[in-house]
Amino acid sequence: MASSIAFAPQHPPIRILIGKVGLDGHDRGAKYVAHILRDAGYEVIYTGIRRAPEEIAEAAVQEDVSVVGLSFLSGAHIALFRRVIEQLRRRCAGQVVLVGGGTIPPDDVRTLKSMGVAEVFTPGTSARTIVDRIGQLLDNRQVA
Amino acid sequence: MDEKDSEQALTPEEAKRQWETGTVAKTIARCPERQAQFRTGSGLDVDRLYVPEPAAHVGETYRNKLGFPGTYPFTRGIQPTLYRGRFWTMRQYAGYATAQESNRRFRYLLEQGSTGLSVAFDLPTQIGYDSDDPLSCGEVGRVGVAVSTVEDMAALFDGIPLDRVSTSMTINATAAVILAMYIVVAERQGAPLTALAGTIQNDILKEYFARGTYRFPPRPSLRLISDLFAYCASTLPKWNAISVSGYHIREAGATAAQEIGFTLADAVCYIETAIAAGLDVDDFAPQITFFFAAHMDLLEEVAKFRAARRLYARLMKERFGAKNPKSLMLRFHTQTSGVALTAQQPDNNVVRVAIQALAAVLGGTQSLHTNSKDEALALPTEDSVRLALRTQQIIAHETGVANTIDPLGGSYYVESLTDRLEAEAEEWLARIDSIGGMVAAVEQGYVQRAIEQAAYEYGNSIETGDRTIVGVNKFVEDKPPAMDLFSVAAAVETRQAEAVTAVKRNRDAAAVAAALSRIEQVARSDENLMPAIIDAVRVSVSLGEICNCLQNVFGEHVDAFS
C-alpha cells in the first residue's frame, strides 16, 4: 500500500535516527514513524529496542544524523532523555534536533521541552503533522 | 457409528435435550446456575442455549462446526453453563511503584468486587534486573511493581491469603524466578501448594516480536518454559503454566486472523518443545491458557474468539492426538485494546472499553481486564480503574447478555466471520509451519515484517480517513483534556533501590554463593531448574542475581538495528 505521504527525496538525503532507549519494548509507534519518515524521503536508522543512552548517542554521531527521535511508553522518558542529551553533548553532538513521542503526560512534555527536546508527539498525532513539524524544525535549524 | 447415525436423525431441539440431560446436568450437579430462571429485562424467559429452527436437522455442519457448549469443537464455549453458572473473573491488571503501594491497590480492587488479581511488574523485574542495577535507571516502579527479592513479593501479598485468591502474573523471561518467589511466600503463609490458583504468562516467543521483555535467546528460554510445564504439572495442579498471548501481537499491529494464527503457532512450538522433553500432551495441555485482545469491531471480535476455540480444538485433536477433553479447550483471558484508546477526548474511551468488553463476554471469555480511560496519557488513577471495573459489573449484572450461552451463535454474519477468520488464521499457521516453526519464523524476521506491515496499513487508513477514529481524525475538538493524571514519584526508585541493597547486606553470603553455583550447575545440565531456583529464593538470592547467573550459561538476546 502506498503511503499517503510521499515527497521527492532530498539530495543528499537527511538522516534521522529513531530510537528506543531503556527497557521499553513497545515499538509499534517507533516503527510506524520510521516508516512514514522513509516515505517522506528521509534516510532513517531505527535502533531496535532496549538501547543504552550511550548507544543512541554513539549511533547518532556515527550515522551523522540531523534528528534523533526517541519513543517512550514506559514512563522513563525524563530520566532517559536527560541521559541521552548528556551523552550527545559529551560527543559534541548537542546541535542534533531532538524529538520525542509516546504516552507522555502534558506536564512532562513541558519538562522535556525545557530540557531541549524540540517537539513531543503524543498518541493520535497524524503522520502529516509529524513529517511537517520535523521539516519545519530542520528548516529553522538551517536558518539559525 | 450407531451413535453418530442416531444423532444425525435428531432435530436440534432433541439434540439439545440430549446435551442438557448429559453434559449440562453433570455440570449443574457440581456447580448450580446463578438463578433457577433467567429472564430478559422485560420479563421474557431466557433459555440456556438457542439452536437452529427445528425444521433443519442437526446435520454434519452444525455438529462439526458448532456443537454444544462444553463439547467438541467448543465453538460455542468451553463450559456447559458458562455465565449462567458464574460470571467471568473480573481481573484488573495492576501494579506500580513499590510492593507496599501495589498491595494497597490490590486490597482496594478486592474490596471493590474484583474477583482475581493480576500483577503488573515493572520492566526491570520483567527482564531480570534488580531495582538497584544501573540498567534499571528511570524504569523502577513505572509500568508495574518492582520485585527484586522474596521480601518484595511477601510485601506485595501481605494480608492476601494466597490459597484463597487467584493471581495472574504478567511475567515471561523471568517467570521461573517470580513463580519461585510466589511459592516461597505461599509457604511462609502456610498455604498448601496444591491450593495455589493462578497463571504465569510464561510466553517468551511473542516477546521477541511483539512485546520486548526477553532476556535470554529463544532456545534456552524454551527450556525454561518446558521446566515450568513439568514443575506445574507435578506440583501446582491448579496453576496455569502458560498464557499464550495474542494480546500483544494484536496490539503491535496484527490483524484479528494474525492474532489467532501467530498465537496458535506459538502454542504449537511450546507443545512440541514439551513433548520433545518427554512430557505427555494430556499431562500439561490442560494447564495451557490463552490471552487475547478485544478490539473495536464488535462482531468481528466475537467471531475471532469463537474461531480461535474451534481451531485450537481441532489442532489439539488432529495434530497432537490429545484425548483429555480439557486439553482441547481454549480457555482465555481478554484485555480491551490499549491501542484503541485515544489521548484526545479521553472520556470517549469509556464507551470504547464498554463495547470491547461486551465483545469479550459475547465471545465467552473466562476472565477480563477493562482498560481505564486515561491510559493513553499515563498510568490510570484509582477513580478511572474503578470506572473500568464498574463497566464489567454493569455488563454482567444489568445487560442480560450473560443469561444465555453464545447469544450470537447462528447469526449469518457472525458464523460467516467465524469461518473466514478460522480459515485465514489456519493459513498463517501453515505459513509458519512451512518456514519451520515459530522460532525459525522469528529468527528470519517473518512475523515481525507481517505485523509491521499490518500496523503500517492501519496507521495509513487513519491518515487517509478511510478509518474513522472519533476525536482523532473526525469530530475533533481543539481544547486539550482537563484530567488529573496519575504519576509515580521519582523518589520511589531511590527508596526501592535502597531497600533491595539493604536485603542484600543482611543475608547469609555463603548460602547465596552456594545457591547460585547450584543454579549454574543445573543450568548446564538438563535437570529441571525450578527446585534450584526455589532454594535460592529461600535464602534471599535476588532476581537479578539469578538472571545474571543464567545469562552466564544461556547468553543474552539483543535486538538488531534496521
Side-chain angles (χ1 to χ4, degrees):
Chain A
M1 179 175 172
S3 162
S4 49
I5 296 171
F7 290 88
Q10 301 110 336
H11 298 286
I14 294 174
R15 300 169 70 107
I16 299 180
L17 185 91
I18 297 295
K20 291 286 299 179
V21 202
L23 305 180
D24 179 24
H26 295 93
D27 58 358
R28 178 178 182 160
K31 283 178 168 173
Y32 181 67
V33 168
H35 206 140
I36 59 168
L37 290 172
R38 279 179 191 137
D39 288 346
Y42 295 103
E43 213 170 281
V44 180
I45 299 112
Y46 171 56
T47 64
I49 60 170
R50 287 170 57 182
R51 298 294 164 196
E54 295 77 6
E55 288 177 281
I56 297 287
E58 196 53 40
V61 172
Q62 292 302 323
E63 302 283 349
D64 192 24
V65 300
S66 306
V67 179
V68 170
L70 301 179
S71 149
F72 295 93
L73 286 88
S74 72
H77 39 270
I78 291 182
L80 291 176
F81 244 121
R82 186 168 288 138
R83 289 182 52 195
V84 170
I85 292 169
E86 207 178 278
Q87 292 296 328
L88 283 169
R89 287 195 183 129
R90 218 176 264 185
R91 288 167 178 77
C92 302
Q95 80 292 352
V96 169
V97 175
L98 282 175
V99 295
T103 44
I104 300 178
D107 284 351
D108 291 356
V109 170
R110 282 186 282 277
T111 309
L112 288 174
K113 286 189 173 171
S114 74
M115 285 161 51
V117 178
E119 192 57 82
V120 178
F121 303 110
T122 50
T125 309
S126 76
R128 165 67 60 186
T129 306
I130 294 172
V131 170
D132 287 352
R133 182 70 182 129
I134 287 178
Q136 217 174 46
L137 290 168
L138 284 166
D139 290 345
N140 293 349
R141 193 195 55 156
Q142 277 154 13
V143 171
Chain B
M1 286 298 106
D2 278 348
E3 193 188 318
K4 198 172 177 184
D5 289 339
S6 69
E7 257 181 45
Q8 246 162 4
L10 296 178
T11 67
E13 279 300 326
E14 286 162 349
K16 181 180 160 195
R17 267 194 295 280
Q18 200 173 65
W19 167 71
E20 289 190 316
T21 52
T23 311
V24 174
K26 268 186 253 163
T27 300
I28 289 181
R30 222 176 42 242
C31 171
E33 294 186 331
R34 285 184 284 117
Q35 298 168 36
Q37 179 84 61
F38 289 85
R39 293 186 186 280
T40 67
S42 310
L44 303 178
D45 282 354
V46 177
D47 204 350
R48 179 172 294 112
L49 187 77
Y50 290 83
V51 292
E53 287 296 304
H57 279 215
V58 182
E60 285 286 314
T61 317
Y62 182 85
R63 255 185 306 113
N64 290 345
K65 288 175 68 175
L66 301 177
F68 288 95
T71 68
Y72 187 84
F74 304 102
T75 313
R76 306 200 67 182
I78 58 160
Q79 288 144 344
T81 56
L82 199 62
Y83 309 135
R84 287 167 69 100
R86 78 174 177 83
F87 294 121
W88 60 94
T89 303
M90 299 179 193
R91 195 189 286 288
Q92 298 294 92
Y93 185 50
Y96 63 96
T98 64
Q100 288 77 9
E101 280 146 307
S102 292
N103 177 264
R104 278 197 290 277
R105 177 71 64 97
F106 286 172
R107 291 185 191 212
Y108 175 78
L109 284 166
L110 291 170
E111 280 161 22
Q112 294 299 316
S114 262
T115 48
L117 294 174
S118 173
V119 187
F121 293 102
D122 71 1
L123 288 166
T125 306
Q126 293 188 50
I127 298 169
Y129 301 118
D130 288 340
S131 301
D132 59 350
D133 190 308
L135 287 171
S136 303
C137 168
E139 312 270 18
V140 175
R142 290 275 173 197
V143 301
V145 58
V147 172
S148 298
T149 68
V150 69
E151 302 312 327
D152 292 331
M153 191 66 99
L156 186 60
F157 290 99
D158 183 39
I160 301 172
L162 297 190
D163 50 355
R164 297 220 300 274
V165 288
S166 86
T167 307
S168 168
M169 295 190 274
T170 299
I171 198 76
N172 296 279
T174 60
V177 185
I178 291 297
L179 181 62
M181 289 180 180
Y182 192 81
I183 287 168
V184 172
V185 171
E187 283 172 357
R188 286 192 194 172
Q189 287 190 359
L193 297 190
T194 49
L196 296 188
T199 306
I200 36 171
Q201 197 162 79
N202 197 27
D203 167 16
I204 196 67
L205 286 171
K206 56 96 170 63
E207 298 296 332
Y208 300 106
F209 63 87
R211 193 168 173 276
T213 71
Y214 46 72
R215 173 77 181 257
F216 315 115
R219 291 170 207 276
S221 296
L222 285 172
R223 177 258 174 107
L224 275 171
I225 287 170
S226 209
D227 282 0
L228 277 164
F229 278 16
Y231 180 83
C232 292
S234 68
T235 316
L236 302 176
K238 289 169 74 179
W239 198 266
N240 298 309
I242 195 165
S243 169
V244 191
S245 303
Y247 183 83
H248 317 93
I249 298 173
R250 186 67 179 283
E251 287 283 292
T255 63
Q258 287 173 332
E259 181 185 358
I260 308 174
F262 293 152
T263 307
L264 295 193
D266 282 345
V268 165
C269 175
Y270 299 131
I271 294 165
E272 285 175 346
T273 305
I275 290 173
L279 302 178
D280 183 274
V281 66
D282 282 320
D283 284 345
F284 64 86
Q287 287 177 308
I288 297 176
T289 64
F290 289 83
F291 172 23
F292 292 112
H295 225 282
M296 274 318 288
D297 189 321
L298 174 70
L299 298 174
E300 182 180 51
E301 294 299 289
V302 174
K304 178 188 77 182
F305 300 125
R306 302 171 86 246
R309 266 196 301 268
R310 182 161 72 205
L311 184 53
Y312 185 65
R314 284 179 40 217
L315 189 73
M316 293 307 284
K317 186 176 178 177
E318 293 164 12
R319 182 158 174 176
F320 293 108
K323 301 207 170 45
N324 183 346
K326 286 200 159 65
S327 304
L328 311 176
M329 294 177 189
L330 182 141
R331 293 176 294 137
F332 66 99
H333 172 70
T334 306
Q335 179 169 341
T336 58
S337 167
V339 164
L341 299 175
T342 64
Q344 295 74 18
Q345 306 175 30
D347 286 345
N348 296 349
N349 293 327
V350 178
V351 182
R352 295 191 175 98
V353 168
I355 292 168
Q356 294 163 2
L358 184 63
V361 171
L362 294 172
T365 195
Q366 276 56 63
S367 61
L368 178 61
H369 166 101
T370 32
N371 287 334
S372 299
K373 64 177 183 176
D374 44 1
E375 289 187 78
L377 298 159
L379 283 186
T381 63
E382 199 161 273
D383 283 349
S384 63
V385 168
R386 188 180 55 235
L387 178 55
L389 175 60
R390 294 287 181 254
T391 305
Q392 295 198 40
Q393 290 163 338
I394 290 168
I395 291 173
H397 296 278
E398 298 186 19
T399 66
V401 294
N403 292 344
T404 186
I405 304 165
D406 188 32
L408 295 177
S411 146
Y412 297 124
Y413 180 49
V414 170
E415 294 300 353
S416 164
L417 282 177
T418 304
D419 292 350
R420 279 144 67 195
L421 287 174
E422 183 190 21
E424 201 189 317
E426 206 167 4
E427 281 169 28
W428 284 107
L429 197 53
R431 284 182 201 125
I432 302 292
D433 278 337
S434 71
I435 292 171
M438 207 51 169
V439 173
V442 171
E443 283 171 350
Q444 292 174 23
Y446 175 81
V447 188
Q448 293 90 319
R449 282 193 300 275
I451 294 174
E452 192 182 334
Q453 185 58 31
Y456 178 65
E457 286 169 14
Y458 182 91
N460 277 346
S461 70
I462 297 172
E463 193 65 25
T464 57
D466 287 347
R467 185 188 298 269
T468 297
I469 310 287
V470 173
V472 172
N473 65 355
K474 207 168 189 175
F475 315 113
V476 179
E477 291 170 18
D478 279 338
K479 75 175 173 32
M483 283 188 105
D484 290 331
L485 293 179
F486 179 86
S487 69
V488 175
V492 163
E493 182 159 321
T494 323
R495 191 151 40 88
Q496 164 68 8
E498 282 168 5
V500 172
T501 308
V503 170
K504 288 179 180 171
R505 250 196 325 267
N506 298 315
R507 48 181 196 180
D508 179 348
V512 169
L516 282 171
S517 82
R518 173 76 187 133
I519 287 176
E520 184 164 343
Q521 189 191 355
V522 178
R524 290 186 196 284
S525 75
D526 55 9
E527 251 181 87
N528 194 312
L529 269 159
M530 274 310 279
I533 294 175
I534 293 171
D535 287 343
V537 164
R538 277 203 191 96
V539 293
S540 294
V541 181
S542 72
L543 168 78
E545 289 165 332
I546 294 172
C547 292
N548 291 342
C549 171
L550 291 174
Q551 186 180 313
N552 288 339
V553 181
F554 294 159
E556 187 183 15
H557 179 81
V558 181
D559 198 16
F561 274 70
S562 62

